[in-house]
PDB file of all heavy atoms in Angstrom:
ATOM      1  N   CYS A  47      14.333 -23.355 -14.954  1.00  0.00           N
ATOM      2  CA  CYS A  47      13.063 -23.780 -14.364  1.00  0.00           C
ATOM      3  C   CYS A  47      12.578 -25.019 -15.105  1.00  0.00           C
ATOM      4  O   CYS A  47      12.614 -25.069 -16.334  1.00  0.00           O
ATOM      5  CB  CYS A  47      12.055 -22.642 -14.498  1.00  0.00           C
ATOM      6  SG  CYS A  47      10.406 -23.006 -13.903  1.00  0.00           S
ATOM      7  N   SER A  48      12.158 -26.015 -14.367  1.00  0.00           N
ATOM      8  CA  SER A  48      11.595 -27.231 -14.965  1.00  0.00           C
ATOM      9  C   SER A  48      10.077 -27.185 -14.889  1.00  0.00           C
ATOM     10  O   SER A  48       9.518 -26.854 -13.839  1.00  0.00           O
ATOM     11  CB  SER A  48      12.101 -28.467 -14.235  1.00  0.00           C
ATOM     12  OG  SER A  48      13.494 -28.590 -14.367  1.00  0.00           O
ATOM     13  N   HIS A  49       9.437 -27.538 -15.993  1.00  0.00           N
ATOM     14  CA  HIS A  49       7.969 -27.595 -16.034  1.00  0.00           C
ATOM     15  C   HIS A  49       7.598 -28.743 -16.954  1.00  0.00           C
ATOM     16  O   HIS A  49       7.172 -28.550 -18.100  1.00  0.00           O
ATOM     17  CB  HIS A  49       7.345 -26.269 -16.478  1.00  0.00           C
ATOM     18  CG  HIS A  49       8.209 -25.419 -17.356  1.00  0.00           C
ATOM     19  ND1 HIS A  49       8.367 -25.637 -18.714  1.00  0.00           N
ATOM     20  CD2 HIS A  49       8.982 -24.339 -17.049  1.00  0.00           C
ATOM     21  CE1 HIS A  49       9.185 -24.725 -19.199  1.00  0.00           C
ATOM     22  NE2 HIS A  49       9.573 -23.924 -18.230  1.00  0.00           N
ATOM     23  N   ASN A  50       7.771 -29.956 -16.441  1.00  0.00           N
ATOM     24  CA  ASN A  50       7.649 -31.158 -17.260  1.00  0.00           C
ATOM     25  C   ASN A  50       6.255 -31.392 -17.838  1.00  0.00           C
ATOM     26  O   ASN A  50       6.126 -32.021 -18.883  1.00  0.00           O
ATOM     27  CB  ASN A  50       8.071 -32.381 -16.449  1.00  0.00           C
ATOM     28  CG  ASN A  50       9.567 -32.390 -16.168  1.00  0.00           C
ATOM     29  OD1 ASN A  50      10.365 -32.094 -17.042  1.00  0.00           O
ATOM     30  ND2 ASN A  50       9.934 -32.708 -14.945  1.00  0.00           N
ATOM     31  N   ASN A  51       5.208 -30.930 -17.138  1.00  0.00           N
ATOM     32  CA  ASN A  51       3.869 -31.192 -17.649  1.00  0.00           C
ATOM     33  C   ASN A  51       3.212 -29.928 -18.206  1.00  0.00           C
ATOM     34  O   ASN A  51       1.999 -29.751 -18.098  1.00  0.00           O
ATOM     35  CB  ASN A  51       2.988 -31.835 -16.567  1.00  0.00           C
ATOM     36  CG  ASN A  51       2.907 -30.969 -15.324  1.00  0.00           C
ATOM     37  OD1 ASN A  51       3.749 -30.101 -15.118  1.00  0.00           O
ATOM     38  ND2 ASN A  51       1.913 -31.198 -14.498  1.00  0.00           N
ATOM     39  N   ILE A  52       3.998 -29.109 -18.846  1.00  0.00           N
ATOM     40  CA  ILE A  52       3.470 -27.893 -19.455  1.00  0.00           C
ATOM     41  C   ILE A  52       2.479 -28.263 -20.555  1.00  0.00           C
ATOM     42  O   ILE A  52       2.689 -29.211 -21.313  1.00  0.00           O
ATOM     43  CB  ILE A  52       4.623 -27.023 -20.001  1.00  0.00           C
ATOM     44  CG1 ILE A  52       4.103 -25.668 -20.477  1.00  0.00           C
ATOM     45  CG2 ILE A  52       5.372 -27.752 -21.110  1.00  0.00           C
ATOM     46  CD1 ILE A  52       5.215 -24.671 -20.797  1.00  0.00           C
ATOM     47  N   ALA A  53       1.367 -27.539 -20.628  1.00  0.00           N
ATOM     48  CA  ALA A  53       0.333 -27.814 -21.623  1.00  0.00           C
ATOM     49  C   ALA A  53       0.617 -27.056 -22.913  1.00  0.00           C
ATOM     50  O   ALA A  53       1.366 -26.074 -22.929  1.00  0.00           O
ATOM     51  CB  ALA A  53      -1.037 -27.436 -21.072  1.00  0.00           C
ATOM     52  N   THR A  54      -0.025 -27.500 -23.972  1.00  0.00           N
ATOM     53  CA  THR A  54       0.208 -26.926 -25.292  1.00  0.00           C
ATOM     54  C   THR A  54      -0.041 -25.419 -25.330  1.00  0.00           C
ATOM     55  O   THR A  54       0.688 -24.675 -25.989  1.00  0.00           O
ATOM     56  CB  THR A  54      -0.686 -27.609 -26.336  1.00  0.00           C
ATOM     57  OG1 THR A  54      -0.424 -29.008 -26.314  1.00  0.00           O
ATOM     58  CG2 THR A  54      -0.432 -27.063 -27.732  1.00  0.00           C
ATOM     59  N   ASN A  55      -1.060 -24.945 -24.612  1.00  0.00           N
ATOM     60  CA  ASN A  55      -1.386 -23.521 -24.677  1.00  0.00           C
ATOM     61  C   ASN A  55      -0.784 -22.704 -23.532  1.00  0.00           C
ATOM     62  O   ASN A  55      -1.134 -21.551 -23.339  1.00  0.00           O
ATOM     63  CB  ASN A  55      -2.901 -23.316 -24.719  1.00  0.00           C
ATOM     64  CG  ASN A  55      -3.567 -23.850 -23.468  1.00  0.00           C
ATOM     65  OD1 ASN A  55      -2.966 -24.607 -22.715  1.00  0.00           O
ATOM     66  ND2 ASN A  55      -4.801 -23.458 -23.229  1.00  0.00           N
TER      67      ASN A  55
END
Side-chain angles (χ1 to χ4, degrees):
Chain A
C47 177
S48 297
H49 27 80
N50 291 317
N51 57 341
I52 187 170
T54 303
N55 62 345

